[in-house]
mmCIF file of all heavy atoms in Angstrom:
data_model
loop_
_atom_site.group_PDB
_atom_site.id
_atom_site.type_symbol
_atom_site.label_atom_id
_atom_site.label_comp_id
_atom_site.label_asym_id
_atom_site.label_seq_id
_atom_site.Cartn_x
_atom_site.Cartn_y
_atom_site.Cartn_z
ATOM 1 N N THR A 95 130.031 100.248 123.986
ATOM 2 C CA THR A 95 130.454 99.939 122.678
ATOM 3 C C THR A 95 129.416 99.437 121.833
ATOM 4 O O THR A 95 129.090 99.785 120.741
ATOM 5 C CB THR A 95 131.763 99.211 122.592
ATOM 6 O OG1 THR A 95 132.826 99.904 123.255
ATOM 7 C CG2 THR A 95 132.144 98.976 121.126
ATOM 8 N N TRP A 96 128.772 98.198 122.362
ATOM 9 C CA TRP A 96 127.892 97.459 121.491
ATOM 10 C C TRP A 96 126.504 98.086 121.536
ATOM 11 O O TRP A 96 125.579 97.637 120.825
ATOM 12 C CB TRP A 96 127.836 95.973 121.809
ATOM 13 C CG TRP A 96 127.244 95.617 123.201
ATOM 14 C CD1 TRP A 96 126.171 96.080 123.781
ATOM 15 C CD2 TRP A 96 127.619 94.462 123.976
ATOM 16 N NE1 TRP A 96 125.822 95.453 124.920
ATOM 17 C CE2 TRP A 96 126.722 94.467 125.049
ATOM 18 C CE3 TRP A 96 128.716 93.500 123.927
ATOM 19 C CZ2 TRP A 96 126.816 93.493 126.105
ATOM 20 C CZ3 TRP A 96 128.722 92.531 124.873
ATOM 21 C CH2 TRP A 96 127.854 92.568 125.933
ATOM 22 N N THR A 97 126.315 99.222 122.225
ATOM 23 C CA THR A 97 125.046 100.011 122.258
ATOM 24 C C THR A 97 125.264 101.145 121.302
ATOM 25 O O THR A 97 124.403 101.474 120.373
ATOM 26 C CB THR A 97 124.638 100.371 123.615
ATOM 27 O OG1 THR A 97 124.448 99.269 124.412
ATOM 28 C CG2 THR A 97 123.332 101.198 123.598
ATOM 29 N N VAL A 98 126.381 101.882 121.474
ATOM 30 C CA VAL A 98 126.460 103.194 120.781
ATOM 31 C C VAL A 98 126.782 102.914 119.251
ATOM 32 O O VAL A 98 126.133 103.598 118.372
ATOM 33 C CB VAL A 98 127.551 104.009 121.393
ATOM 34 C CG1 VAL A 98 127.968 105.170 120.502
ATOM 35 C CG2 VAL A 98 127.191 104.447 122.740
ATOM 36 N N ILE A 99 127.646 102.010 118.911
ATOM 37 C CA ILE A 99 127.992 101.777 117.545
ATOM 38 C C ILE A 99 126.861 101.235 116.725
ATOM 39 O O ILE A 99 126.611 101.952 115.557
ATOM 40 C CB ILE A 99 129.289 100.840 117.431
ATOM 41 C CG1 ILE A 99 130.515 101.566 118.035
ATOM 42 C CG2 ILE A 99 129.461 100.351 116.005
ATOM 43 C CD1 ILE A 99 131.756 100.631 117.977
ATOM 44 N N PRO A 100 126.105 100.215 117.054
ATOM 45 C CA PRO A 100 124.948 99.959 116.318
ATOM 46 C C PRO A 100 123.835 101.013 116.171
ATOM 47 O O PRO A 100 123.193 101.227 115.181
ATOM 48 C CB PRO A 100 124.366 98.743 116.996
ATOM 49 C CG PRO A 100 125.549 98.149 117.732
ATOM 50 C CD PRO A 100 126.365 99.346 118.179
ATOM 51 N N THR A 101 123.771 101.802 117.251
ATOM 52 C CA THR A 101 122.754 102.948 117.246
ATOM 53 C C THR A 101 123.194 103.910 116.166
ATOM 54 O O THR A 101 122.363 104.496 115.396
ATOM 55 C CB THR A 101 122.731 103.634 118.552
ATOM 56 O OG1 THR A 101 122.285 102.686 119.585
ATOM 57 C CG2 THR A 101 121.743 104.834 118.553
ATOM 58 N N ILE A 102 124.467 104.296 116.173
ATOM 59 C CA ILE A 102 124.934 105.287 115.092
ATOM 60 C C ILE A 102 124.682 104.732 113.725
ATOM 61 O O ILE A 102 124.297 105.410 112.813
ATOM 62 C CB ILE A 102 126.454 105.555 115.310
ATOM 63 C CG1 ILE A 102 126.577 106.366 116.598
ATOM 64 C CG2 ILE A 102 127.059 106.445 114.143
ATOM 65 C CD1 ILE A 102 128.034 106.521 117.039
ATOM 66 N N MET A 103 124.999 103.433 113.555
ATOM 67 C CA MET A 103 124.751 102.824 112.203
ATOM 68 C C MET A 103 123.352 102.842 111.793
ATOM 69 O O MET A 103 122.944 103.088 110.634
ATOM 70 C CB MET A 103 125.314 101.372 112.322
ATOM 71 C CG MET A 103 126.821 101.254 112.323
ATOM 72 S SD MET A 103 127.374 99.641 112.734
ATOM 73 C CE MET A 103 126.770 98.728 111.336
ATOM 74 N N CYS A 104 122.501 102.564 112.750
ATOM 75 C CA CYS A 104 120.959 102.551 112.520
ATOM 76 C C CYS A 104 120.518 103.898 112.089
ATOM 77 O O CYS A 104 119.617 104.155 111.186
ATOM 78 C CB CYS A 104 120.263 102.034 113.679
ATOM 79 S SG CYS A 104 120.320 100.247 113.861
ATOM 80 N N VAL A 105 121.048 104.933 112.782
ATOM 81 C CA VAL A 105 120.670 106.399 112.516
ATOM 82 C C VAL A 105 121.065 106.699 111.128
ATOM 83 O O VAL A 105 120.365 107.359 110.344
ATOM 84 C CB VAL A 105 121.290 107.346 113.544
ATOM 85 C CG1 VAL A 105 121.161 108.718 113.082
ATOM 86 C CG2 VAL A 105 120.645 107.109 114.902
ATOM 87 N N PHE A 106 122.312 106.358 110.675
ATOM 88 C CA PHE A 106 122.698 106.651 109.370
ATOM 89 C C PHE A 106 121.884 105.918 108.367
ATOM 90 O O PHE A 106 121.493 106.459 107.260
ATOM 91 C CB PHE A 106 124.166 106.239 109.182
ATOM 92 C CG PHE A 106 125.155 107.421 109.527
ATOM 93 C CD1 PHE A 106 125.736 107.492 110.761
ATOM 94 C CD2 PHE A 106 125.429 108.480 108.631
ATOM 95 C CE1 PHE A 106 126.659 108.495 111.204
ATOM 96 C CE2 PHE A 106 126.253 109.428 109.045
ATOM 97 C CZ PHE A 106 126.845 109.423 110.333
ATOM 98 N N LEU A 107 121.598 104.675 108.553
ATOM 99 C CA LEU A 107 120.781 103.876 107.595
ATOM 100 C C LEU A 107 119.398 104.480 107.467
ATOM 101 O O LEU A 107 118.858 104.640 106.425
ATOM 102 C CB LEU A 107 120.649 102.424 107.996
ATOM 103 C CG LEU A 107 121.971 101.623 107.919
ATOM 104 C CD1 LEU A 107 121.744 100.238 108.510
ATOM 105 C CD2 LEU A 107 122.397 101.452 106.397
ATOM 106 N N PHE A 108 118.739 104.882 108.560
ATOM 107 C CA PHE A 108 117.470 105.549 108.620
ATOM 108 C C PHE A 108 117.504 106.829 107.790
ATOM 109 O O PHE A 108 116.576 107.063 107.015
ATOM 110 C CB PHE A 108 116.975 105.806 110.002
ATOM 111 C CG PHE A 108 115.720 106.638 110.027
ATOM 112 C CD1 PHE A 108 114.518 106.070 109.797
ATOM 113 C CD2 PHE A 108 115.758 107.980 110.272
ATOM 114 C CE1 PHE A 108 113.424 106.834 109.794
ATOM 115 C CE2 PHE A 108 114.646 108.796 110.293
ATOM 116 C CZ PHE A 108 113.429 108.186 110.024
ATOM 117 N N TYR A 109 118.550 107.638 108.106
ATOM 118 C CA TYR A 109 118.529 108.986 107.491
ATOM 119 C C TYR A 109 118.721 108.900 105.954
ATOM 120 O O TYR A 109 117.952 109.521 105.191
ATOM 121 C CB TYR A 109 119.773 109.775 107.982
ATOM 122 C CG TYR A 109 120.025 111.105 107.202
ATOM 123 C CD1 TYR A 109 119.135 112.090 107.267
ATOM 124 C CD2 TYR A 109 121.003 111.115 106.330
ATOM 125 C CE1 TYR A 109 119.334 113.332 106.532
ATOM 126 C CE2 TYR A 109 121.284 112.289 105.597
ATOM 127 C CZ TYR A 109 120.448 113.385 105.632
ATOM 128 O OH TYR A 109 120.606 114.523 105.013
ATOM 129 N N TYR A 110 119.665 108.053 105.468
ATOM 130 C CA TYR A 110 119.825 107.992 104.009
ATOM 131 C C TYR A 110 118.745 107.153 103.377
ATOM 132 O O TYR A 110 118.351 107.471 102.222
ATOM 133 C CB TYR A 110 121.238 107.264 103.724
ATOM 134 C CG TYR A 110 122.374 108.177 103.933
ATOM 135 C CD1 TYR A 110 123.141 108.047 105.072
ATOM 136 C CD2 TYR A 110 122.613 109.313 102.991
ATOM 137 C CE1 TYR A 110 124.175 108.928 105.271
ATOM 138 C CE2 TYR A 110 123.751 110.074 103.281
ATOM 139 C CZ TYR A 110 124.536 109.880 104.394
ATOM 140 O OH TYR A 110 125.450 110.824 104.659
ATOM 141 N N GLY A 111 118.126 106.259 104.147
ATOM 142 C CA GLY A 111 116.976 105.569 103.547
ATOM 143 C C GLY A 111 115.772 106.431 103.496
ATOM 144 O O GLY A 111 115.024 106.469 102.361
ATOM 145 N N TRP A 112 115.597 107.346 104.472
ATOM 146 C CA TRP A 112 114.428 108.254 104.424
ATOM 147 C C TRP A 112 114.687 109.257 103.342
ATOM 148 O O TRP A 112 113.733 109.670 102.644
ATOM 149 C CB TRP A 112 114.298 108.938 105.731
ATOM 150 C CG TRP A 112 113.312 110.075 105.787
ATOM 151 C CD1 TRP A 112 111.952 110.002 105.967
ATOM 152 C CD2 TRP A 112 113.643 111.485 105.625
ATOM 153 N NE1 TRP A 112 111.380 111.158 105.848
ATOM 154 C CE2 TRP A 112 112.374 112.189 105.636
ATOM 155 C CE3 TRP A 112 114.787 112.204 105.393
ATOM 156 C CZ2 TRP A 112 112.350 113.549 105.437
ATOM 157 C CZ3 TRP A 112 114.732 113.608 105.272
ATOM 158 C CH2 TRP A 112 113.489 114.199 105.342
ATOM 159 N N ARG A 113 115.865 109.805 103.151
ATOM 160 C CA ARG A 113 116.214 110.777 102.116
ATOM 161 C C ARG A 113 115.907 110.291 100.775
ATOM 162 O O ARG A 113 115.267 110.899 99.969
ATOM 163 C CB ARG A 113 117.582 111.220 102.365
ATOM 164 C CG ARG A 113 117.910 112.460 101.367
ATOM 165 C CD ARG A 113 119.295 112.877 101.591
ATOM 166 N NE ARG A 113 120.297 112.037 101.024
ATOM 167 C CZ ARG A 113 121.663 112.295 100.977
ATOM 168 N NH1 ARG A 113 122.078 113.412 101.345
ATOM 169 N NH2 ARG A 113 122.397 111.305 100.509
ATOM 170 N N GLY A 114 116.367 109.048 100.554
ATOM 171 C CA GLY A 114 116.122 108.389 99.212
ATOM 172 C C GLY A 114 114.583 108.181 98.960
ATOM 173 O O GLY A 114 114.088 108.364 97.896
ATOM 174 N N TYR A 115 113.830 107.749 99.984
ATOM 175 C CA TYR A 115 112.475 107.494 99.927
ATOM 176 C C TYR A 115 111.675 108.860 99.527
ATOM 177 O O TYR A 115 110.799 108.849 98.687
ATOM 178 C CB TYR A 115 111.946 106.922 101.178
ATOM 179 C CG TYR A 115 110.382 106.807 101.194
ATOM 180 C CD1 TYR A 115 109.748 105.752 100.542
ATOM 181 C CD2 TYR A 115 109.636 107.660 101.991
ATOM 182 C CE1 TYR A 115 108.330 105.704 100.546
ATOM 183 C CE2 TYR A 115 108.240 107.633 102.008
ATOM 184 C CZ TYR A 115 107.597 106.620 101.324
ATOM 185 O OH TYR A 115 106.231 106.502 101.305
ATOM 186 N N TYR A 116 112.128 109.837 100.292
ATOM 187 C CA TYR A 116 111.506 111.199 100.174
ATOM 188 C C TYR A 116 111.622 111.650 98.567
ATOM 189 O O TYR A 116 110.691 112.160 98.079
ATOM 190 C CB TYR A 116 112.065 112.207 101.090
ATOM 191 C CG TYR A 116 111.383 113.531 100.927
ATOM 192 C CD1 TYR A 116 110.197 113.917 101.568
ATOM 193 C CD2 TYR A 116 112.040 114.597 100.224
ATOM 194 C CE1 TYR A 116 109.603 115.074 101.472
ATOM 195 C CE2 TYR A 116 111.463 115.841 100.207
ATOM 196 C CZ TYR A 116 110.232 116.111 100.833
ATOM 197 O OH TYR A 116 109.699 117.369 100.654
ATOM 198 N N ARG A 117 112.795 111.482 98.044
ATOM 199 C CA ARG A 117 113.013 111.896 96.726
ATOM 200 C C ARG A 117 112.237 111.043 95.756
ATOM 201 O O ARG A 117 111.676 111.605 94.740
ATOM 202 C CB ARG A 117 114.547 111.749 96.392
ATOM 203 C CG ARG A 117 115.402 112.814 97.029
ATOM 204 C CD ARG A 117 116.827 112.535 96.652
ATOM 205 N NE ARG A 117 117.768 113.490 97.177
ATOM 206 C CZ ARG A 117 119.058 113.501 97.127
ATOM 207 N NH1 ARG A 117 119.558 112.496 96.545
ATOM 208 N NH2 ARG A 117 119.785 114.412 97.600
ATOM 209 N N MET A 118 112.085 109.644 95.990
ATOM 210 C CA MET A 118 111.393 108.856 95.159
ATOM 211 C C MET A 118 109.863 109.143 95.139
ATOM 212 O O MET A 118 109.160 108.683 94.167
ATOM 213 C CB MET A 118 111.622 107.390 95.455
ATOM 214 C CG MET A 118 113.089 106.900 95.366
ATOM 215 S SD MET A 118 113.627 106.803 93.632
ATOM 216 C CE MET A 118 112.904 105.180 93.191
ATOM 217 N N VAL A 119 109.317 109.769 96.197
ATOM 218 C CA VAL A 119 107.964 109.870 96.232
ATOM 219 C C VAL A 119 107.455 111.288 96.091
ATOM 220 O O VAL A 119 106.222 111.643 96.185
ATOM 221 C CB VAL A 119 107.308 109.359 97.570
ATOM 222 C CG1 VAL A 119 107.536 107.870 97.798
ATOM 223 C CG2 VAL A 119 107.854 110.019 98.839
ATOM 224 N N THR A 120 108.319 112.249 95.755
ATOM 225 C CA THR A 120 108.040 113.618 95.673
ATOM 226 C C THR A 120 108.335 113.974 94.176
ATOM 227 O O THR A 120 109.496 114.507 93.881
ATOM 228 C CB THR A 120 108.814 114.525 96.590
ATOM 229 O OG1 THR A 120 108.609 113.919 97.911
ATOM 230 C CG2 THR A 120 108.280 115.897 96.587
ATOM 231 N N PRO A 121 107.380 113.994 93.270
ATOM 232 C CA PRO A 121 107.696 114.365 91.881
ATOM 233 C C PRO A 121 107.733 115.864 91.651
ATOM 234 O O PRO A 121 107.190 116.649 92.460
ATOM 235 C CB PRO A 121 106.462 113.782 91.130
ATOM 236 C CG PRO A 121 105.309 113.906 92.147
ATOM 237 C CD PRO A 121 105.979 113.482 93.495
ATOM 238 N N PRO A 122 108.554 116.304 90.691
ATOM 239 C CA PRO A 122 108.558 117.650 90.247
ATOM 240 C C PRO A 122 107.206 118.190 89.905
ATOM 241 O O PRO A 122 106.322 117.472 89.398
ATOM 242 C CB PRO A 122 109.586 117.802 89.136
ATOM 243 C CG PRO A 122 110.233 116.521 89.195
ATOM 244 C CD PRO A 122 109.399 115.574 89.770
ATOM 245 N N GLN A 123 106.879 119.497 90.087
ATOM 246 C CA GLN A 123 105.544 120.002 89.651
ATOM 247 C C GLN A 123 105.331 119.963 88.173
ATOM 248 O O GLN A 123 104.176 119.801 87.751
ATOM 249 C CB GLN A 123 105.483 121.500 90.150
ATOM 250 C CG GLN A 123 105.514 121.652 91.663
ATOM 251 C CD GLN A 123 105.277 123.060 92.038
ATOM 252 O OE1 GLN A 123 105.402 124.065 91.192
ATOM 253 N NE2 GLN A 123 105.055 123.356 93.383
ATOM 254 N N LYS A 124 106.352 120.025 87.378
ATOM 255 C CA LYS A 124 106.110 119.934 85.907
ATOM 256 C C LYS A 124 106.379 118.683 85.297
ATOM 257 O O LYS A 124 106.788 118.548 84.101
ATOM 258 C CB LYS A 124 107.018 121.028 85.253
ATOM 259 C CG LYS A 124 106.693 122.486 85.643
ATOM 260 C CD LYS A 124 107.498 123.463 84.948
ATOM 261 C CE LYS A 124 107.134 124.924 85.329
ATOM 262 N NZ LYS A 124 108.024 125.858 84.600
ATOM 263 N N ALA A 125 106.176 117.563 86.038
ATOM 264 C CA ALA A 125 106.423 116.193 85.436
ATOM 265 C C ALA A 125 105.348 115.887 84.413
ATOM 266 O O ALA A 125 104.153 116.266 84.575
ATOM 267 C CB ALA A 125 106.324 115.157 86.575
ATOM 268 N N LEU A 126 105.655 115.161 83.377
ATOM 269 C CA LEU A 126 104.755 114.620 82.451
ATOM 270 C C LEU A 126 103.761 113.632 83.074
ATOM 271 O O LEU A 126 104.251 112.703 83.769
ATOM 272 C CB LEU A 126 105.494 113.928 81.224
ATOM 273 C CG LEU A 126 104.692 113.197 80.192
ATOM 274 C CD1 LEU A 126 103.808 114.132 79.438
ATOM 275 C CD2 LEU A 126 105.553 112.317 79.334
ATOM 276 N N GLU A 127 102.483 113.807 82.951
ATOM 277 C CA GLU A 127 101.561 112.904 83.704
ATOM 278 C C GLU A 127 100.993 111.910 82.678
ATOM 279 O O GLU A 127 100.554 112.155 81.573
ATOM 280 C CB GLU A 127 100.364 113.754 84.233
ATOM 281 C CG GLU A 127 99.545 112.936 85.162
ATOM 282 C CD GLU A 127 98.492 113.816 85.924
ATOM 283 O OE1 GLU A 127 99.048 114.425 86.906
ATOM 284 O OE2 GLU A 127 97.349 113.783 85.701
ATOM 285 N N ILE A 128 100.887 110.713 83.194
ATOM 286 C CA ILE A 128 100.297 109.502 82.404
ATOM 287 C C ILE A 128 99.405 108.777 83.303
ATOM 288 O O ILE A 128 99.762 108.448 84.517
ATOM 289 C CB ILE A 128 101.432 108.582 81.876
ATOM 290 C CG1 ILE A 128 102.421 109.292 80.962
ATOM 291 C CG2 ILE A 128 100.828 107.358 81.145
ATOM 292 C CD1 ILE A 128 103.618 108.425 80.415
ATOM 293 N N GLN A 129 98.165 108.516 82.840
ATOM 294 C CA GLN A 129 97.144 107.702 83.658
ATOM 295 C C GLN A 129 97.396 106.241 83.416
ATOM 296 O O GLN A 129 97.696 105.788 82.281
ATOM 297 C CB GLN A 129 95.788 108.026 83.096
ATOM 298 C CG GLN A 129 95.445 109.597 83.064
ATOM 299 C CD GLN A 129 95.464 110.259 84.439
ATOM 300 O OE1 GLN A 129 95.005 109.579 85.450
ATOM 301 N NE2 GLN A 129 95.976 111.371 84.611
ATOM 302 N N VAL A 130 97.324 105.528 84.470
ATOM 303 C CA VAL A 130 97.532 104.035 84.386
ATOM 304 C C VAL A 130 96.287 103.269 84.892
ATOM 305 O O VAL A 130 95.921 103.590 86.055
ATOM 306 C CB VAL A 130 98.899 103.705 85.179
ATOM 307 C CG1 VAL A 130 99.061 102.102 85.053
ATOM 308 C CG2 VAL A 130 100.038 104.475 84.642
ATOM 309 N N ILE A 131 95.798 102.438 84.202
ATOM 310 C CA ILE A 131 94.705 101.569 84.595
ATOM 311 C C ILE A 131 95.132 100.073 84.547
ATOM 312 O O ILE A 131 95.438 99.560 83.485
ATOM 313 C CB ILE A 131 93.434 101.736 83.711
ATOM 314 C CG1 ILE A 131 93.060 103.316 83.749
ATOM 315 C CG2 ILE A 131 92.319 100.889 84.223
ATOM 316 C CD1 ILE A 131 91.944 103.582 82.737
ATOM 317 N N ALA A 132 95.077 99.431 85.685
ATOM 318 C CA ALA A 132 95.392 98.022 85.769
ATOM 319 C C ALA A 132 94.116 97.227 85.794
ATOM 320 O O ALA A 132 93.180 97.636 86.441
ATOM 321 C CB ALA A 132 96.317 97.813 86.875
ATOM 322 N N GLN A 133 94.121 95.993 85.256
ATOM 323 C CA GLN A 133 93.001 95.106 85.317
ATOM 324 C C GLN A 133 93.449 93.723 85.045
ATOM 325 O O GLN A 133 94.582 93.503 84.514
ATOM 326 C CB GLN A 133 91.857 95.502 84.347
ATOM 327 C CG GLN A 133 92.309 95.407 82.937
ATOM 328 C CD GLN A 133 91.222 95.939 81.990
ATOM 329 O OE1 GLN A 133 90.978 97.119 81.809
ATOM 330 N NE2 GLN A 133 90.504 94.934 81.315
#
């Protein structure tokens, strides 16, 4: 019980975290582009 349940929870957290991260780092091809210079 204390092995399987935490494992399932970690798998769900990883999956939804990865899916959200993938969306956040993959812009559409027709996105408006702006150059940013920091100093």
Side-chain angles (χ1 to χ4, degrees):
T95 299
W96 71 35
T97 300
V98 172
I99 292 178
T101 299
I102 293 173
M103 293 170 57
C104 287
V105 168
F106 273 97
L107 291 175
F108 171 80
Y109 171 74
Y110 285 104
W112 172 83
R113 189 177 68 170
Y115 172 78
Y116 181 79
R117 288 177 177 175
M118 294 287 282
V119 298
T120 310
Q123 292 184 350
K124 296 184 178 181
L126 172 69
E127 187 169 290
I128 299 175
Q129 309 293 321
V130 182
I131 302 172
Q133 65 185 73

